[in-house]
Amino acid sequence: MSLVFAQNLQKTYRSGEVDVLAVKGVDFTIEAKSFVAFVGPSGSGKSTLLNMIGCLDHPTSGKLTVVNTDVATLDRRAAAEFRGKHIGFVFQDFNLIPVLTVYENIEYPLIMVQAWPEAKRRKQVTRLLEAVGMSGQASKRPDQISGGQKQRVAIARALVTDAKLVLADEPTANLDHDTAYRIIGLMKTMRDELGTTFVFSTHDPKIMGEAEVVFTLEDGRMQQPSAKAVAGHA
Amino acid sequence: MLNILKIAVRNLTRFGRRTLLTSSLITLGIVGVLLFIAVSGSFKAIMIGQFTDAMLGHLEVHHKGYVASIDSLPLNLNMQPTMVEKVDQVLKKVDAVESYSERIKLGAMFSNFTETTSIRINGVDPVKEAATTPLLPGRIIEGSKEGALIKPGEILIPTVLARGMKVKVGDTIVLVATNRDGSVNGKTFVVRGILESISGPSGKDGYITLNDARDLLRMKEPEISEIAIRLKNPAKLDQVYAELSQELSGIAGKQGQSAMAGKGGGAALEVHTWADLSPFASIVRMIDLLAVFIKVMMVSIVLISVMNVMVMAVYERIREIGTISAIGTPPGRILSLFLTEGLLLGLGGAALGTAISLAVIYALNVWKVSIHFGMQEQAIKLSPSVSASDVVTIAAMVVIMALLASLQPAWKASRMDPITALGHV
C-alpha cells in the first residue's frame, strides 16, 4: 500500500485578479520507507506539492491520499491533528523555537501536539538526540548552535512523534555543501533505522542525487521520472 | 498546562525590556489606584469625621418640615416633650447608638454692649453634646478645654464673631432672642471659649446650655429642635438609619399624625443622615466619582499596554506560529499560549502593584503623614487603608483586562494560516 497517492492533482492560487495554476494535473505515488526528492526550479510547484501532502494546503481538484486518508476533505482542526499524528516537518530555515533548548524543541510536539507522559517523552527525546548526534548540546538554545546542528534538531523534532512521513522543504538550502550532505545522510540513516518515509524538495543537483526516487517538476507539471528514480523505486 | 506556562514565561522573558515596561505600566496603574483609594478614603473618613464628630453627629432627628426651614430656625417646628420622650425611649433601645444629644437651635442678637450682630445658637446638654460630637471641645482655640464644655451662664462663640465683635474669653455679652409667641427676651452670658470656625452647617454657631436656651426663649415646655445621634460604628449608618426610621415611625405628632417621615416620609418626625444635612456629601460623591474615573483610566492603561505587547508578540512571531501550527499544534493550544502570556503580564503587574501599594500604605501609616486644615491646632493624621475587597477587585480587574486585551491577538495567532505564516519575512 502506498503512503502517498496523488491523481490528477491540481492547485490554483488567486494572485490579485489572476488565477495561477501552480500544480497542473500531477500523478504520483510514494511508497512507505522511501527516500524521495521533488526537484525543479523555483516556481515549479515543489513547495505547493509538499504543502498539499503535508495538509497545510488543500488541492483545488484531484485526489490526494496520505496515510490512507483523503486529506483534501480535512478541515483546519482535523488537518492539524493529522499533521501532529502522521507528519513531521523540516524547514529550510530550521524554524526552531528560540526560547526553548535543543531538548525542549525536540520535546515540544510531544507536549503541545500529543500528550506523552514525562518518562516516555524523556526516553524518546534522549533516543533521538543520540540518533542525530546532538546529545551533548541538549541544554543549548538554538542561537548557541550551528546551522547544521539546528537542522539535526529539526530532523529529531520531525521524527519525535514517530511520524510516518517527514516532509522537508529545501532542508539544505541554508547549509554549506559538506553540512548539506551530512544532513541528507542523516535523513537517510533515520529512514533506514526508523523506517520513516522522507520526502524533500531541492534544486541542488548534487543533493537530488542522494534521493532514491526523484520527481521532477517543471512549471507545475510532473516530468517523466528519471532512470535512477525508476530503478531506485523498482 | 504547566508546559504552556513555562513556554509563556520564556516568551515573555525573551523580550524582557518590553515585558518589564508593560508590567511597570500595569504596576504603576495599580499603585496609583490603590494609593488613591487608600489616601482619598482616609481623607474622606477624616473629613466626614470632622463634620459628624464636631458638629452634626451621624444622624439627626427633627420635627417634620424643620430641615426644610432650617435656615430660619423655626421654633414652631420644635419637637414637643412627649415626642422627645418617645424618641428617647427608642434611642435607648437601639444598640448601635453610642450617644445622642438634644439641642435647641435658635437665632439671637449678640451684643457686646457697643455693637450688635446676629448669631445662631445651639442650646445643648454639655455632657451629652461632648459625647455625641467628641471633636467639639477640640475646636476651642481660646479658653479652657478642661471640665464641662459649658456651664450655665456661659457661652462658646465662633472665632469669626469674636474677632468681628472684639470679644475675648471672660467678657460678658448679651443674647437677645424672640420666642415663638413673638416676645423678646435678653440674657447675659460670659464668654467661656472661642471656637474655631469651620465650614459647613453649624460651623459658625455658638453654644449655651439647654436650660439657658429655654430661659432665653421663655419656653413653657422643654421642647427640642433636633436630636443628634452618634453611632458606635459609622459604617452601619444606612442600616441604623433604616432601623431608626422604622422604630420612630410609630411616634405620632401633636395632632395624632401617624407615621414618621424618613428622608421624607409620612408625618411627625424626620430622620436625616449627616450626608443629607451637609454639602460635603457632594464632595464625598465627587471623590468616589474620581476614584471610578481613575479606575477606568487604569483599566485603559492595562488594556492598551497589554494589547500592544500581545499584538507585537504575534506580529514578531508569525513564522514561529506558522511552525508550531504546521507541526500540528491545535489552534486552541496556540490560543491558550498567547492568552497565558497576557494573563501572566496581568498577574505579574497586579501582584507587584499590589505589593508596592500595600508597602507604601504601610509606610504612610508608620510615618504618620499629617495635614493641617484651617486653624485647627491639631494636624489631621492620615491613616490610609485599603480594604481586602478593594485590593481583590482591582487586581481581578487588571487580570481580566489583561486577558481580554490578549484575546484578539491570541485569536489571530490561533487562526493564522500556516503557509502564510511560514512565508512571513
Side-chain angles (χ1 to χ4, degrees):
Chain A
M1 185 74 185
S2 53
L3 191 72
V4 182
F5 172 74
Q7 190 178 44
N8 196 24
L9 203 59
Q10 290 210 30
K11 179 68 189 178
T12 308
Y13 286 116
R14 186 93 182 146
S15 176
E17 298 292 306
V18 187
D19 283 334
V20 179
L21 200 55
V23 175
K24 302 167 181 169
V26 167
D27 301 310
F28 64 90
T29 300
I30 297 172
E31 299 300 328
K33 301 180 185 177
S34 55
F35 199 69
V36 180
F38 281 97
V39 299
S42 292
S44 61
K46 306 186 295 289
S47 297
T48 306
L49 216 46
L50 285 187
N51 286 340
M52 286 193 285
I53 297 169
C55 307
L56 295 172
D57 208 351
H58 285 97
T60 309
S61 65
K63 187 174 172 62
L64 178 62
T65 307
V66 182
V67 198
N68 301 323
T69 305
D70 181 1
V71 293
T73 61
L74 298 178
D75 64 14
R76 185 184 175 79
R77 194 176 300 272
E81 195 182 329
F82 184 83
R83 289 195 299 270
K85 203 170 171 186
H86 299 295
I87 304 173
F89 288 89
V90 176
F91 303 97
Q92 178 180 334
D93 295 322
F94 326 121
N95 291 18
L96 300 179
I97 298 168
V99 293
L100 301 181
T101 63
V102 164
Y103 182 97
E104 289 164 341
N105 262 289
I106 299 171
E107 189 189 29
Y108 185 90
L110 302 180
I111 296 169
M112 294 293 275
V113 182
Q114 300 184 4
W116 287 33
E118 164 78 33
K120 196 178 166 193
R121 279 203 314 260
R122 199 181 315 118
K123 195 175 163 191
Q124 176 82 334
V125 176
T126 308
R127 183 171 73 93
L128 279 160
L129 272 169
E130 279 170 17
V132 300
M134 289 295 290
S135 295
Q137 321 288 324
S139 58
K140 288 187 175 168
R141 295 274 172 99
D143 58 358
Q144 295 171 311
I145 56 176
S146 68
Q149 288 174 320
K150 282 178 191 166
Q151 205 57 303
R152 284 168 183 271
V153 177
I155 291 167
R157 181 178 66 183
L159 292 166
V160 77
T161 54
D162 291 332
K164 292 182 176 63
L165 174 66
V166 170
L167 299 172
D169 193 6
E170 303 272 6
T172 58
N174 282 345
L175 302 173
D176 61 70
H177 253 291
D178 289 347
T179 312
Y181 272 109
R182 277 200 289 274
I183 288 299
I184 292 295
L186 174 68
M187 284 164 56
K188 210 180 248 180
T189 310
M190 291 295 105
R191 190 281 310 264
D192 294 340
E193 286 180 5
L194 306 173
T196 311
T197 305
F198 276 81
V199 178
F200 63 98
S201 66
T202 184
H203 55 262
D204 183 338
K206 288 178 185 167
I207 294 296
M208 73 179 75
E210 297 297 311
E212 292 166 358
V213 181
V214 177
F215 292 113
T216 306
L217 284 158
E218 206 173 291
D219 196 23
R221 292 184 199 284
M222 188 76 82
Q223 305 302 300
Q224 287 302 309
S226 66
K228 177 185 176 179
V230 174
H233 197 46
Chain B
M1 187 61 210
L2 261 179
N3 291 299
I4 289 182
L5 205 65
K6 185 174 77 179
I7 295 168
V9 169
R10 297 235 188 125
N11 280 328
L12 287 176
T13 51
R14 183 183 345 179
F15 305 104
R17 197 177 297 175
R18 191 168 65 201
T19 302
L20 194 70
L21 197 68
T22 309
S23 297
S24 306
L25 269 174
I26 297 172
T27 303
L28 270 177
I30 288 205
V31 170
V33 171
L34 285 180
L35 281 186
F36 180 81
I37 289 175
V39 173
S40 68
S42 167
F43 179 74
K44 205 170 78 177
I46 289 167
M47 291 307 289
I48 292 171
Q50 287 285 302
F51 285 100
T52 58
D53 297 356
M55 294 185 291
L56 297 174
H58 296 118
L59 291 163
E60 286 188 1
V61 179
H62 299 94
H63 192 284
K64 189 192 175 191
Y66 186 90
V67 171
S69 322
I70 201 161
D71 285 340
S72 60
L73 302 173
L75 296 171
N76 61 333
L77 287 175
N78 281 344
M79 289 180 271
Q80 297 307 307
T82 48
M83 211 183 271
V84 175
E85 198 178 318
K86 285 173 184 169
V87 174
D88 192 64
Q89 285 167 3
V90 168
L91 291 177
K92 279 178 180 154
K93 277 197 307 184
V94 178
D95 191 46
V97 173
E98 185 173 296
S99 62
Y100 57 93
S101 174
E102 295 94 346
R103 296 170 181 161
I104 295 171
K105 295 178 90 74
L106 63 133
M109 297 305 291
F110 177 99
S111 171
N112 62 0
F113 300 102
T114 54
E115 289 175 274
T116 304
T117 187
S118 60
I119 184 172
R120 289 163 59 104
I121 293 290
N122 288 302
V124 297
D125 177 321
V127 177
K128 283 182 157 186
E129 186 66 18
T132 306
T133 53
L135 291 184
L136 181 59
R139 282 177 58 202
I140 300 174
I141 51 175
E142 279 180 52
S144 173
K145 291 180 186 177
E146 303 303 317
L149 189 65
I150 30 170
K151 291 175 187 158
E154 290 180 340
I155 184 170
L156 292 171
I157 60 169
T159 183
V160 282
L161 190 79
R163 204 178 300 136
M165 297 293 284
K166 300 179 185 66
V167 174
K168 298 186 296 294
V169 173
D171 287 357
T172 301
I173 57 95
V174 177
L175 287 183
V176 178
T178 308
N179 70 6
R180 63 188 294 179
D181 301 324
S183 61
V184 175
N185 188 30
K187 190 171 163 59
T188 57
F189 290 88
V190 174
V191 176
R192 177 184 170 85
I194 295 172
L195 289 171
E196 179 200 17
S197 301
I198 53 176
S199 45
S202 311
K204 295 179 183 68
D205 286 4
Y207 286 83
I208 59 176
T209 66
L210 205 54
N211 285 334
D212 282 344
R214 282 176 184 145
D215 283 350
L216 186 62
L217 292 171
R218 287 180 175 159
M219 277 183 178
K220 294 179 186 118
E221 292 181 307
E223 297 171 9
I224 290 296
S225 306
E226 71 183 19
I227 301 173
I229 301 163
R230 179 173 178 77
L231 303 181
K232 289 175 182 164
N233 180 5
K236 291 185 175 171
L237 182 72
D238 290 341
Q239 190 186 322
V240 180
Y241 167 80
E243 188 182 349
L244 272 182
S245 300
Q246 178 66 30
E247 289 287 332
L248 295 177
S249 65
I251 296 174
K254 206 172 188 180
Q255 289 81 34
Q257 295 145 307
S258 58
M260 70 126 262
K263 243 182 218 183
L269 296 173
E270 290 176 336
V271 180
H272 292 94
T273 65
W274 70 268
D276 299 327
L277 301 167
S278 168
F280 181 71
S282 56
I283 297 174
V284 170
R285 279 192 286 275
M286 276 170 66
I287 291 175
D288 291 340
L289 199 68
L290 211 57
V292 172
F293 179 70
I294 286 178
K295 280 180 200 171
V296 169
M297 270 181 31
M298 182 208 61
V299 164
S300 310
I301 288 173
V302 172
L303 203 68
I304 292 167
S305 50
V306 173
M307 195 175 248
N308 177 47
V309 166
M310 295 315 296
V311 165
M312 285 303 290
V314 170
Y315 183 77
E316 285 169 349
R317 283 152 55 193
I318 288 179
R319 277 177 73 89
E320 194 177 310
I321 294 164
T323 307
I324 61 174
S325 177
I327 63 176
T329 309
R333 213 155 287 173
I334 298 174
L335 182 86
S336 22
L337 179 64
F338 280 87
L339 282 183
T340 306
E341 287 180 31
L343 184 71
L344 285 174
L345 266 178
L347 274 176
L352 193 64
T354 304
I356 292 174
S357 305
L358 295 180
V360 173
I361 290 167
Y362 178 76
L364 287 175
N365 280 296
V366 169
W367 291 330
K368 306 243 179 270
V369 176
S370 310
I371 294 175
H372 285 267
F373 278 108
M375 293 164 63
Q376 271 183 320
E377 284 176 353
Q378 276 191 323
I380 291 170
K381 284 192 174 61
L382 276 183
S383 49
S385 65
V386 63
S387 67
S389 66
D390 271 338
V391 172
V392 171
T393 307
I394 299 294
M397 240 161 69
V398 164
V399 172
I400 291 167
M401 279 302 121
L403 207 57
L404 286 178
S406 46
L407 197 58
Q408 191 274 339
W411 177 256
K412 189 181 170 188
S414 72
R415 307 300 299 170
M416 216 169 261
D417 172 42
I419 297 176
T420 313
L422 283 166
H424 183 80
V425 181

